[in-house]
Amino acid sequence: MRCRSIVLACLASAATAVASHLTPLALLEAPRPGDALASPDGRQAVIAVAEHNVKRGSGGSSIWSVAVPAAGHGAAASKGAVEVVRNASAALWLSNTTLVTLRGATLYAKSSLRSNWADAGFKGVRIGALPVEPTSWRVLLHDHGATIVFSAAVYDDGDLRNVESYESSAEGQEWEHAKIYETTFVRHWDKWLRPGKRTQLFAIDLKKRGKGRKERWSLAGKERPLMKGTGLEAPVAPFGDEKDYSLGLAPDGTAYAAFTAKDPSVNPAWHTRQQIYTVPLAGTSQPQQISRGGLGATSSPAISPCGSKVAYLQMARDGFEADVRRVKVTTLASNETVTLLGAWDRSPAQVAWSADGHTLLVVVEEYEQEKLLSLPLAELFSPEAQAGETLVPLVRDGGVSSVQPLQDGRTLLTRSSLRGPTEVYTASAGEDPVQLTDFKGASRALAGVDLGPLPRRFNYVGMEGREAYGWTVPPPGYSEDKTYPLLTLIHGGPEGAWTNSWSTRWNPSVFAAAGFFVITLDPAGSTGFGQKYQEGILGAWSTRAFFDIRAGVRHILDTHPNLDPERVVAAGASFGGYMINLINGRNQDQLFKGLVCHDGVFSTLSTWYSTDELYFPEFEFGGVPWEARDAYLAASPEQYTDRWATPQLTIAGGKDFRLPESEGLSVFNVLQRRGVPSKLLYFPDENHWVMKPRNSLVWHREVLAWLLKYSNATAPAAGEDHAPAAAGLTFQ
Ligand SMILES: *[C@@H]1O[C@H](CO)[C@@H](O)[C@H](O)[C@H]1NC(C)=O
Ligand SMILES: *[C@@H]1O[C@H](CO)[C@@H](O)[C@H](O)[C@H]1NC(C)=O
Ligand SMILES: *[C@@H]1O[C@H](CO)[C@@H](O)[C@H](O)[C@H]1NC(C)=O
Ligand SMILES: *[C@@H]1O[C@H](CO)[C@@H](O)[C@H](O)[C@H]1NC(C)=O
């Protein structure tokens, strides 16, 4: 980014006079960095950065490299990333100086020792091709070269070369037009599932010749299926990726993988159960289950540096996707498993080993921050250690996404915040994280963008006198002497939270930039405040969470006299959309003047009957509909349609198999039949989320226009102190 940074330095000073605001277009065209990966010696790191040009409808991903300064050399040493490969979505290190990248199924090597390292147009030297484009990959380095482990979907024969020929055969083609099932779980998230087709892991070796500048790599032999004939699937759909498996060398030198997969003995539609397995990369024996005891989901397997142990996260309860995740460590030789942090009232999202194996690193959500903590393994089973009191904070705020321990004891990580997209950092105990990249500063889309005053966390009194939580996100140029409309954003889940992280969907700052004083609320059911607060939502969707939302709005109006109580609007997606539909039937005091429901529940009953993951409503409402009918009905927005009167925009997606489009159509029918001002926005090609940048632009245009209209606000005009909120909304 060095070259671009120089240009932007001038732009930024010119821009201070006419600060622009975060338009939807700027949000969508801002860089989207992924996870960072350090070279084995920790001296360089690479990161894939995706970018879109919305008007042109083009986009792609590049690999950027950044030097990791030696410990103690601070931030000033770096912040300069260079683009080294264009049009590649992932890169891995084959040595301290050679990267392997993928373009489709083809592998290329590129060396940082060569003069054309920073020539992004030169993609490198072709190594060979995998049989298909993988859905995820990792590499294990060893004495005689490297082994790539990758995932791809395959049928029971485990032969990747047969997938395309089968699917283009007459029998395979028939499925496109006539799908036949004998077991439910017929579709998931946004796909109809082909019976017998599963994503599985494969290993393939790479051979190295020469050293330094002369280093050359080639494929050695054919790929080996690691899960053939087992009925296992890894990574776990729909969101699984390479974090679902870990590679390592056992003390005897055996290369192996540890992975998480759904337990094949139970139906995945109504069970969350997953187990952890190990399998040798030689492909010589079947996977062995190493997890015991837990009946729920597992995640984040991590092989220890010496290869003798596997750490992972495990939930105790089957069917409850928001159960607390416990840290487990299995010693492979003795087949013994211990539970760490067993009395800690937090649910870690990721676990990793320090390079010396003496510490575990834990990423965890806590009070609306996604933190990085380290757990010394010296003294494990004291009550203090089990309760989490010996954890050492490495990163206390922001949203940590990927972590990689370095040999020197520091940790390489990626982190975003409400103030900007992901950047690469190093962290060590007792020091502030050191920022290595400045993708935000170098971004054309975000240059000179004024995000307004800092968002602030607040507490308030929710139902039953409990503490409840949220953020305020004031508009740019905010002044207590001016009046503003109030926008309330409600998150999905309900087990989720508004954290200090950057998002291209539901970014609060883009709503603030349109002139709203925004609050994001974390009512009962939200994550990061302890398991009791989170489980307070079970059977209480229409009571605790509903009350907490209204109490949060009241609290902000009471404490901010400059917010206009006649101009309050709300929007939410998924569970947030459920809450919008519920609010419409319980808004007799007209607290809310306008509503937006994105992919929300209309009827809790019809949701069970049509959704993909049955366990979810079953756990939330305490059973199947024919046993817990009253609990479903008590929570159902459909019960209150006789009182719907608040203007509402409703959004639905044709590929939304979580809350199918009939929920949105039902809502729109009710609103229209009752003569309530209403609009339907339907995306035939989108799932539960709006992912395509052009569609997202339309989404932002319609959502903002609706909220502005019903809060009697107009988008600030061009040239004023406020940026033109609508400027990014159309293709001119
Ligand atoms: C990387 O460099 C370190 C330190 O110079 C060395 O010990 C290590 O063997 C190298 N690793 C590889 C894979 O070349
Ligand atoms: C980018 O790579 C893909 C394969 O992954 C290829 O089909 C496409 O043509 C490439 N685009 C450019 C601009 O090189
Ligand atoms: C590990 O222990 C469990 C019982 O806890 C047993 O079922 C399993 O077979 C053992 N595995 C090995 C590899 O010894
Ligand atoms: C909103 O605008 C309408 C029409 O201009 C007006 O009748 C109404 O009083 C306004 N409400 C508020 C709260 O400003």
Side-chain angles (χ1 to χ4, degrees), residues 564-630:
D564 189 342
E566 297 302 318
R567 297 166 65 199
V568 178
V569 288
S574 196
F575 171 80
Y578 156 89
M579 187 54 71
I580 293 295
N581 292 336
L582 189 76
I583 286 172
N584 211 330
R586 296 203 192 159
N587 195 29
Q588 284 68 35
D589 63 357
Q590 294 180 37
L591 177 61
F592 298 97
K593 301 296 187 287
L595 300 168
V596 175
C597 165
H598 177 103
D599 294 3
V601 172
F602 168 67
S603 157
T604 49
L605 277 177
S606 65
T607 295
W608 184 92
Y609 289 114
S610 60
T611 197
D612 53 350
E613 296 174 347
L614 298 174
Y615 55 75
F616 174 71
E618 289 180 19
F619 207 92
E620 294 290 326
F621 301 119
V624 288
W626 51 95
E627 285 167 1
R629 193 175 185 85
D630 290 347

Coordinates of all heavy atoms in Angstrom, one line a residue, residues 564-630:
D564 N -35.8 13.5 19.4 CA -37.2 13.8 19.2 C -38.0 12.5 19.5 O -38.0 11.6 18.7 CB -37.4 14.3 17.8 CG -38.8 14.9 17.6 OD1 -39.7 14.5 18.5 OD2 -39.1 15.6 16.7
P565 N -38.8 12.5 20.6 CA -39.6 11.3 20.9 C -40.7 11.0 19.8 O -41.2 9.9 19.8 CB -40.2 11.6 22.2 CG -40.1 13.0 22.4 CD -39.0 13.5 21.6
E566 N -40.9 12.0 19.0 CA -41.9 11.8 17.9 C -41.3 11.2 16.6 O -42.0 11.1 15.6 CB -42.6 13.1 17.6 CG -43.4 13.7 18.8 CD -44.5 12.7 19.3 OE1 -45.2 12.1 18.4 OE2 -44.6 12.6 20.5
R567 N -40.0 11.0 16.7 CA -39.3 10.6 15.4 C -38.4 9.4 15.7 O -37.3 9.4 15.4 CB -38.5 11.8 14.9 CG -39.4 13.0 14.5 CD -38.6 14.2 14.2 NE -37.7 14.0 13.1 CZ -36.6 14.8 12.8 NH1 -36.3 15.8 13.7 NH2 -35.9 14.6 11.8
V568 N -39.0 8.4 16.3 CA -38.3 7.2 16.7 C -38.6 6.1 15.7 O -39.8 5.8 15.4 CB -38.6 6.7 18.1 CG1 -37.9 5.4 18.5 CG2 -38.3 7.8 19.1
V569 N -37.6 5.4 15.1 CA -37.9 4.3 14.1 C -37.0 3.1 14.6 O -36.1 3.3 15.4 CB -37.5 4.7 12.7 CG1 -38.6 5.7 12.2 CG2 -36.2 5.4 12.6
A570 N -37.2 2.0 14.0 CA -36.5 0.8 14.4 C -36.3 -0.2 13.2 O -37.2 -0.2 12.3 CB -37.2 0.0 15.5
A571 N -35.2 -0.9 13.2 CA -35.0 -1.9 12.1 C -34.2 -3.1 12.7 O -33.5 -2.9 13.7 CB -34.1 -1.2 11.0
G572 N -34.5 -4.2 12.1 CA -33.7 -5.4 12.6 C -33.9 -6.6 11.6 O -34.8 -6.6 10.7
A573 N -32.9 -7.5 11.7 CA -32.9 -8.7 10.8 C -33.0 -10.0 11.6 O -32.5 -10.0 12.7 CB -31.6 -8.7 10.0
S574 N -33.6 -11.0 11.0 CA -33.7 -12.3 11.6 C -34.4 -12.2 12.9 O -35.6 -11.9 12.9 CB -32.3 -12.9 11.7 OG -32.4 -14.3 11.9
F575 N -33.8 -12.5 14.0 CA -34.5 -12.3 15.3 C -34.9 -10.9 15.4 O -36.0 -10.5 15.9 CB -33.7 -12.8 16.5 CG -34.3 -12.4 17.8 CD1 -35.3 -13.1 18.4 CD2 -33.8 -11.2 18.5 CE1 -35.9 -12.7 19.6 CE2 -34.4 -10.8 19.7 CZ -35.5 -11.6 20.2
G576 N -34.0 -10.0 15.0 CA -34.3 -8.5 15.0 C -35.6 -8.2 14.1 O -36.4 -7.4 14.5
G577 N -35.7 -9.0 13.0 CA -36.9 -8.8 12.2 C -38.2 -9.4 12.9 O -39.3 -8.9 12.7
Y578 N -38.0 -10.5 13.6 CA -39.0 -11.1 14.5 C -39.5 -10.0 15.4 O -40.7 -9.7 15.5 CB -38.5 -12.2 15.3 CG -39.3 -12.5 16.5 CD1 -40.4 -13.3 16.5 CD2 -38.9 -11.9 17.7 CE1 -41.1 -13.6 17.7 CE2 -39.7 -12.1 18.9 CZ -40.8 -12.9 18.9 OH -41.5 -13.1 20.0
M579 N -38.5 -9.3 16.0 CA -38.9 -8.3 17.0 C -39.7 -7.1 16.4 O -40.6 -6.6 17.0 CB -37.6 -7.8 17.7 CG -37.8 -6.9 18.9 SD -38.9 -7.5 20.2 CE -37.9 -8.8 20.9
I580 N -39.3 -6.7 15.2 CA -40.0 -5.7 14.4 C -41.4 -6.1 14.2 O -42.4 -5.3 14.5 CB -39.3 -5.4 13.1 CG1 -37.9 -4.8 13.3 CG2 -40.2 -4.5 12.2 CD1 -37.9 -3.4 13.9
N581 N -41.7 -7.4 13.8 CA -43.0 -7.9 13.6 C -43.8 -7.9 14.9 O -45.0 -7.6 14.9 CB -43.0 -9.2 12.9 CG -42.5 -9.2 11.5 OD1 -42.5 -8.2 10.8 ND2 -41.9 -10.3 11.0
L582 N -43.1 -8.3 16.0 CA -43.8 -8.3 17.3 C -44.2 -6.8 17.7 O -45.3 -6.6 18.2 CB -42.9 -8.9 18.3 CG -43.5 -9.2 19.7 CD1 -44.4 -10.4 19.6 CD2 -42.5 -9.4 20.8
I583 N -43.2 -5.9 17.5 CA -43.4 -4.5 17.9 C -44.7 -4.0 17.1 O -45.5 -3.3 17.7 CB -42.2 -3.7 17.6 CG1 -41.1 -3.9 18.6 CG2 -42.5 -2.2 17.5 CD1 -39.7 -3.3 18.3
N584 N -44.8 -4.4 15.9 CA -45.9 -3.8 15.1 C -47.3 -4.2 15.7 O -48.3 -3.4 15.6 CB -45.9 -4.2 13.6 CG -46.5 -3.1 12.8 OD1 -47.4 -2.4 13.2 ND2 -46.0 -3.0 11.5
G585 N -47.4 -5.3 16.4 CA -48.6 -5.6 17.1 C -48.7 -5.1 18.5 O -49.8 -5.3 19.2
R586 N -47.7 -4.5 19.0 CA -47.7 -4.0 20.4 C -47.1 -2.6 20.4 O -46.3 -2.3 21.3 CB -46.8 -4.9 21.2 CG -47.3 -6.3 21.3 CD -46.7 -6.9 22.6 NE -46.9 -8.3 22.7 CZ -46.1 -9.0 23.4 NH1 -45.1 -8.5 24.1 NH2 -46.3 -10.3 23.6
N587 N -47.6 -1.7 19.5 CA -47.1 -0.4 19.4 C -48.2 0.6 19.7 O -48.2 1.7 19.0 CB -46.4 -0.2 18.1 CG -45.5 1.0 18.0 OD1 -44.9 1.5 19.0 ND2 -45.4 1.6 16.8
Q588 N -49.1 0.3 20.6 CA -50.3 1.1 20.8 C -49.9 2.5 21.2 O -50.6 3.5 20.9 CB -51.2 0.5 21.8 CG -52.1 -0.7 21.2 CD -51.2 -1.9 20.9 OE1 -50.2 -2.2 21.6 NE2 -51.5 -2.6 19.9
D589 N -48.8 2.7 21.9 CA -48.4 4.1 22.3 C -47.6 4.8 21.2 O -47.2 5.9 21.4 CB -47.6 4.0 23.6 CG -46.3 3.2 23.5 OD1 -46.1 2.7 22.4 OD2 -45.5 3.2 24.4
Q590 N -47.5 4.1 20.1 CA -46.8 4.7 18.9 C -45.4 5.2 19.2 O -45.0 6.2 18.7 CB -47.6 5.8 18.3 CG -48.9 5.2 17.7 CD -49.8 6.3 17.0 OE1 -49.3 7.2 16.4 NE2 -51.1 6.2 17.2
L591 N -44.7 4.4 20.1 CA -43.3 4.8 20.4 C -42.5 4.8 19.1 O -41.7 5.7 18.8 CB -42.7 3.7 21.4 CG -41.3 3.9 21.7 CD1 -41.0 5.2 22.4 CD2 -40.8 2.7 22.6
F592 N -42.8 3.8 18.2 CA -42.1 3.7 16.9 C -43.0 4.2 15.8 O -44.1 3.8 15.7 CB -41.7 2.2 16.6 CG -40.7 1.7 17.7 CD1 -41.2 0.9 18.7 CD2 -39.4 2.0 17.6 CE1 -40.3 0.4 19.7 CE2 -38.5 1.5 18.5 CZ -38.9 0.7 19.6
K593 N -42.4 5.1 15.0 CA -43.2 5.7 13.9 C -43.0 4.9 12.5 O -43.8 5.1 11.6 CB -42.8 7.1 13.7 CG -43.0 8.0 14.9 CD -44.5 8.1 15.3 CE -44.8 9.0 16.4 NZ -44.4 8.6 17.7
G594 N -42.0 4.2 12.4 CA -41.7 3.4 11.2 C -40.8 2.2 11.5 O -40.0 2.3 12.4
L595 N -41.0 1.1 10.8 CA -40.3 -0.1 11.1 C -39.7 -0.7 9.8 O -40.3 -0.6 8.7 CB -41.2 -1.1 11.7 CG -41.9 -0.7 13.0 CD1 -43.0 -1.6 13.4 CD2 -40.8 -0.6 14.2
V596 N -38.6 -1.4 9.9 CA -38.0 -2.2 8.8 C -37.7 -3.6 9.3 O -37.0 -3.8 10.3 CB -36.7 -1.6 8.3 CG1 -36.1 -2.5 7.2 CG2 -36.9 -0.2 7.7
C597 N -38.3 -4.6 8.7 CA -38.1 -6.0 9.0 C -37.3 -6.7 7.9 O -37.8 -6.8 6.8 CB -39.4 -6.7 9.2 SG -39.3 -8.5 9.2
H598 N -36.1 -7.1 8.2 CA -35.3 -7.9 7.2 C -35.3 -9.4 7.6 O -34.9 -9.8 8.7 CB -33.9 -7.4 7.1 CG -33.0 -8.2 6.2 ND1 -32.6 -7.7 5.0 CD2 -32.5 -9.4 6.3 CE1 -31.9 -8.7 4.4 NE2 -31.8 -9.7 5.2
D599 N -35.9 -10.2 6.7 CA -35.9 -11.7 6.9 C -36.2 -12.1 8.4 O -35.5 -12.8 9.0 CB -34.5 -12.3 6.6 CG -34.2 -12.1 5.1 OD1 -35.0 -11.5 4.3 OD2 -33.1 -12.6 4.7
G600 N -37.4 -11.6 8.8 CA -37.8 -11.9 10.2 C -38.9 -13.0 10.3 O -39.5 -13.3 9.3
V601 N -39.1 -13.5 11.5 CA -40.1 -14.5 11.8 C -41.5 -13.8 11.8 O -41.7 -12.8 12.5 CB -39.9 -15.1 13.2 CG1 -41.1 -16.0 13.5 CG2 -38.6 -15.9 13.2
F602 N -42.4 -14.3 11.0 CA -43.8 -13.9 11.1 C -44.6 -14.8 12.1 O -45.2 -14.3 13.1 CB -44.5 -13.9 9.7 CG -46.0 -13.8 9.8 CD1 -46.5 -12.5 10.2 CD2 -46.8 -14.8 9.4 CE1 -47.9 -12.4 10.2 CE2 -48.2 -14.6 9.5 CZ -48.8 -13.4 9.9
S603 N -44.5 -16.1 11.8 CA -45.2 -17.0 12.7 C -44.1 -18.0 13.3 O -43.4 -18.6 12.5 CB -46.2 -17.8 12.0 OG -46.5 -19.1 12.6
T604 N -44.0 -18.1 14.6 CA -43.0 -19.0 15.2 C -43.3 -20.5 14.8 O -42.5 -21.3 14.6 CB -43.0 -18.9 16.7 OG1 -44.4 -19.0 17.1 CG2 -42.4 -17.6 17.2
L605 N -44.6 -20.7 14.6 CA -45.0 -22.1 14.2 C -44.6 -22.4 12.8 O -43.9 -23.4 12.5 CB -46.5 -22.3 14.3 CG -47.1 -22.6 15.7 CD1 -48.6 -22.7 15.7 CD2 -46.5 -23.9 16.2
S606 N -44.9 -21.5 11.8 CA -44.6 -21.8 10.4 C -43.1 -21.8 10.3 O -42.6 -22.5 9.4 CB -45.2 -20.8 9.5 OG -44.7 -19.5 9.7
T607 N -42.4 -21.1 11.1 CA -40.9 -21.1 11.1 C -40.4 -22.5 11.4 O -39.5 -23.0 10.7 CB -40.3 -20.1 12.1 OG1 -40.7 -18.8 11.7 CG2 -38.8 -20.2 12.2
W608 N -40.9 -23.2 12.4 CA -40.5 -24.5 12.7 C -40.8 -25.4 11.5 O -39.9 -26.2 11.1 CB -41.1 -25.1 13.9 CG -40.6 -26.5 14.2 CD1 -39.5 -26.8 15.1 CD2 -40.9 -27.8 13.7 NE1 -39.2 -28.1 15.0 CE2 -40.1 -28.8 14.2 CE3 -41.9 -28.1 12.7 CZ2 -40.2 -30.1 13.8 CZ3 -42.0 -29.5 12.4 CH2 -41.1 -30.5 12.9
Y609 N -42.0 -25.2 10.9 CA -42.4 -26.2 9.8 C -41.5 -26.0 8.6 O -41.5 -26.9 7.8 CB -43.9 -25.9 9.5 CG -44.8 -26.5 10.6 CD1 -45.5 -25.6 11.4 CD2 -44.8 -27.8 10.9 CE1 -46.4 -26.1 12.4 CE2 -45.6 -28.3 11.9 CZ -46.4 -27.4 12.7 OH -47.1 -27.9 13.7
S610 N -40.9 -24.8 8.4 CA -40.2 -24.6 7.1 C -38.7 -24.4 7.2 O -38.0 -24.4 6.2 CB -40.8 -23.5 6.4 OG -40.7 -22.3 7.1
T611 N -38.1 -24.2 8.4 CA -36.7 -23.8 8.5 C -35.8 -25.0 8.3 O -36.3 -26.2 8.2 CB -36.4 -23.2 9.9 OG1 -35.2 -22.5 9.8 CG2 -36.4 -24.2 11.0
D612 N -34.5 -24.7 8.1 CA -33.6 -25.8 7.8 C -33.1 -26.5 9.1 O -33.0 -27.7 9.2 CB -32.3 -25.3 7.0 CG -31.7 -24.1 7.6 OD1 -32.2 -23.5 8.6 OD2 -30.6 -23.7 7.1
E613 N -32.8 -25.7 10.1 CA -32.2 -26.2 11.4 C -33.3 -26.3 12.4 O -33.6 -25.3 13.1 CB -31.1 -25.4 11.9 CG -29.9 -25.4 10.9 CD -28.7 -24.5 11.2 OE1 -28.9 -23.6 12.1 OE2 -27.7 -24.7 10.6
L614 N -34.0 -27.4 12.5 CA -35.1 -27.6 13.4 C -34.8 -27.4 14.9 O -35.5 -27.0 15.7 CB -35.8 -29.0 13.2 CG -36.3 -29.2 11.8 CD1 -36.8 -30.6 11.7 CD2 -37.5 -28.2 11.5
Y615 N -33.5 -27.8 15.2 CA -33.1 -27.8 16.7 C -33.2 -26.4 17.2 O -33.5 -26.2 18.4 CB -31.7 -28.3 16.9 CG -30.6 -27.6 16.0 CD1 -30.1 -26.3 16.3 CD2 -30.0 -28.2 14.9 CE1 -29.2 -25.7 15.6 CE2 -29.1 -27.6 14.1 CZ -28.6 -26.4 14.5 OH -27.7 -25.8 13.7
F616 N -33.1 -25.4 16.4 CA -33.1 -24.0 16.9 C -34.4 -23.6 17.5 O -34.4 -23.3 18.7 CB -32.6 -23.0 15.8 CG -32.7 -21.6 16.3 CD1 -31.8 -21.1 17.2 CD2 -33.7 -20.8 15.8 CE1 -32.0 -19.8 17.7 CE2 -33.9 -19.5 16.3 CZ -33.0 -19.0 17.3
P617 N -35.5 -23.6 16.8 CA -36.8 -23.3 17.4 C -37.1 -24.3 18.6 O -37.7 -23.9 19.6 CB -37.8 -23.3 16.3 CG -37.2 -24.0 15.2 CD -35.7 -23.8 15.3
E618 N -36.7 -25.6 18.4 CA -37.1 -26.6 19.4 C -36.4 -26.2 20.7 O -37.0 -26.3 21.8 CB -36.6 -28.0 19.0 CG -37.5 -28.5 17.9 CD -37.1 -29.9 17.4 OE1 -36.4 -30.6 18.1 OE2 -37.5 -30.3 16.3
F619 N -35.2 -25.7 20.7 CA -34.5 -25.4 22.0 C -35.1 -24.0 22.5 O -35.3 -23.9 23.7 CB -33.0 -25.3 21.8 CG -32.3 -25.6 23.1 CD1 -31.9 -26.9 23.4 CD2 -32.1 -24.6 24.1 CE1 -31.3 -27.2 24.6 CE2 -31.5 -24.9 25.3 CZ -31.1 -26.2 25.6
E620 N -35.3 -23.1 21.6 CA -35.8 -21.8 22.1 C -37.2 -21.9 22.7 O -37.5 -21.2 23.7 CB -35.8 -20.8 20.9 CG -34.4 -20.4 20.3 CD -33.6 -19.6 21.3 OE1 -34.1 -18.8 22.0 OE2 -32.3 -19.8 21.2
F621 N -38.0 -22.7 22.1 CA -39.4 -22.8 22.6 C -39.7 -24.0 23.4 O -40.9 -24.3 23.8 CB -40.4 -22.6 21.5 CG -40.2 -21.3 20.7 CD1 -39.8 -21.3 19.4 CD2 -40.3 -20.1 21.4 CE1 -39.6 -20.1 18.7 CE2 -40.1 -18.9 20.7 CZ -39.7 -18.9 19.4
G622 N -38.7 -24.9 23.7 CA -38.9 -26.0 24.6 C -39.5 -27.2 24.0 O -40.2 -28.0 24.7
G623 N -39.4 -27.4 22.7 CA -39.9 -28.7 22.2 C -40.4 -28.5 20.7 O -40.3 -27.5 20.1
V624 N -41.0 -29.6 20.2 CA -41.5 -29.6 18.9 C -42.9 -29.0 19.0 O -43.5 -29.0 20.1 CB -41.7 -31.0 18.3 CG1 -40.3 -31.5 17.9 CG2 -42.3 -32.0 19.3
P625 N -43.5 -28.4 17.9 CA -44.7 -27.7 18.0 C -45.9 -28.5 18.5 O -46.7 -27.9 19.2 CB -45.0 -27.2 16.5 CG -43.7 -27.2 15.9 CD -42.9 -28.3 16.5
W626 N -45.9 -29.8 18.3 CA -47.1 -30.5 18.8 C -47.0 -30.8 20.3 O -47.9 -31.3 20.9 CB -47.3 -31.8 18.0 CG -46.1 -32.7 17.8 CD1 -45.8 -33.7 18.5 CD2 -45.1 -32.6 16.8 NE1 -44.6 -34.3 18.1 CE2 -44.2 -33.6 17.0 CE3 -44.9 -31.7 15.7 CZ2 -43.1 -33.8 16.2 CZ3 -43.8 -31.9 14.9 CH2 -42.9 -32.9 15.1
E627 N -45.8 -30.5 20.9 CA -45.7 -30.7 22.3 C -45.6 -29.4 23.1 O -46.0 -29.3 24.2 CB -44.4 -31.5 22.6 CG -44.6 -33.0 22.3 CD -43.3 -33.8 22.3 OE1 -42.2 -33.1 22.6 OE2 -43.3 -35.0 22.1
A628 N -45.1 -28.3 22.4 CA -44.9 -27.0 23.1 C -45.6 -25.9 22.3 O -45.2 -24.8 22.3 CB -43.4 -26.7 23.1
R629 N -46.8 -26.3 21.8 CA -47.5 -25.4 21.0 C -47.8 -24.0 21.6 O -47.7 -22.9 21.0 CB -48.9 -26.0 20.6 CG -49.6 -25.3 19.5 CD -50.9 -26.0 19.1 NE -51.5 -25.4 17.9 CZ -51.1 -25.6 16.7 NH1 -50.2 -26.5 16.4 NH2 -51.6 -24.9 15.7
D630 N -48.2 -24.1 22.9 CA -48.5 -22.8 23.6 C -47.3 -21.9 23.7 O -47.4 -20.7 23.6 CB -49.0 -23.1 25.0 CG -50.4 -23.8 25.0 OD1 -51.0 -23.7 23.9 OD2 -50.8 -24.3 26.0

